Amino acid sequence: MNGQKFPVMECFGPTIQGEGALAGQRSHFIRFGGCDYRCTWCDSMHAVDPDLVKLNAKWLLPNEIRQELETIQATGGHSNWVTLTGGNPVMWDLSQVVECLQDLPSPSRKANGLGWYINVETQGSEWRDWLKNVEQVTCSPKGPSSGMSDKFSWGKLDKFVKELTRSSSPSTLALKIVIFNEDDLIFAKNIHETYPHVDMYLSVGTDLSWYDYPDGGEKMRGWVGARYSWLAEEVLKDNTFYDVTVFPQLHVLMWPNEKTGR
Ligand code: SF4
């Protein structure tokens, strides 16, 4: 019990969630190392590259992860949410971590400012039963611009959607697709037509080259704003998208040029 350690790359917050169903809300983040994908535009390679994970991960027990959160909460402020991200956190059996973070009953957690509701961010390439025990799952299948089309599986996404949309599941599922180009939009459209009952969020992709652009904060904001206008226009042209939510990556607007959390 609680004997397994997990590779934690960073633990930070509270900050503002930049994407998906919780966009704009305060959240703490725990970033786990390891990912089965290598997306061309990944902005979290420090949690993906096995050499970097080996070099930089802190291997922590579930109760040590909770202690890290309690420390940053004591010094940085409260959030009702903690987001388990990566990498792909679903590579790991995090059931003990989830239990450890949820070990106070929800109403008491919220009323007393203790404990957290849990959001998991994953691309949906693996299913784990512990996902049914968290409050929110944000599943982000990767479109053609990621270079990961050969890894995408309708069968795996189907399993994800079926498990998390059963009436008995306490978890809420949201689908989030990062859009760089027209091919990504077609990919998102196919997914939305297949699962119209699942909330979909479209997120403007951010070109990685901006992170290295010297003093490029304002220019980066301008570029993201222009891409947001483009995506909004595209979505308005197509009635399939009548009920999707369209966002830029809010953290890029708030803190341009910063890849990792604050
Ligand atoms: S799935 Fe996510 S973490 Fe993994 S390589 Fe792609 S963008 Fe990066």
Side-chain angles (χ1 to χ4, degrees), residues 35 37-39 41-42 44 48 86-87 123 142:
C35 188
Y37 276 29
R38 297 290 183 274
C39 301
W41 37 253
C42 179
S44 308
V48 172
Q123 71 267 44
K142 305 305 179 196

Side-chain angles (χ1 to χ4, degrees), residues 219-236:
K219 287 187 177 137
M220 189 174 186
R221 283 194 177 105
W223 183 88
V224 171
R227 294 303 293 167
Y228 188 30
S229 301
W230 167 78
L231 181 56
E233 297 290 346
E234 291 299 312
V235 163
L236 289 170

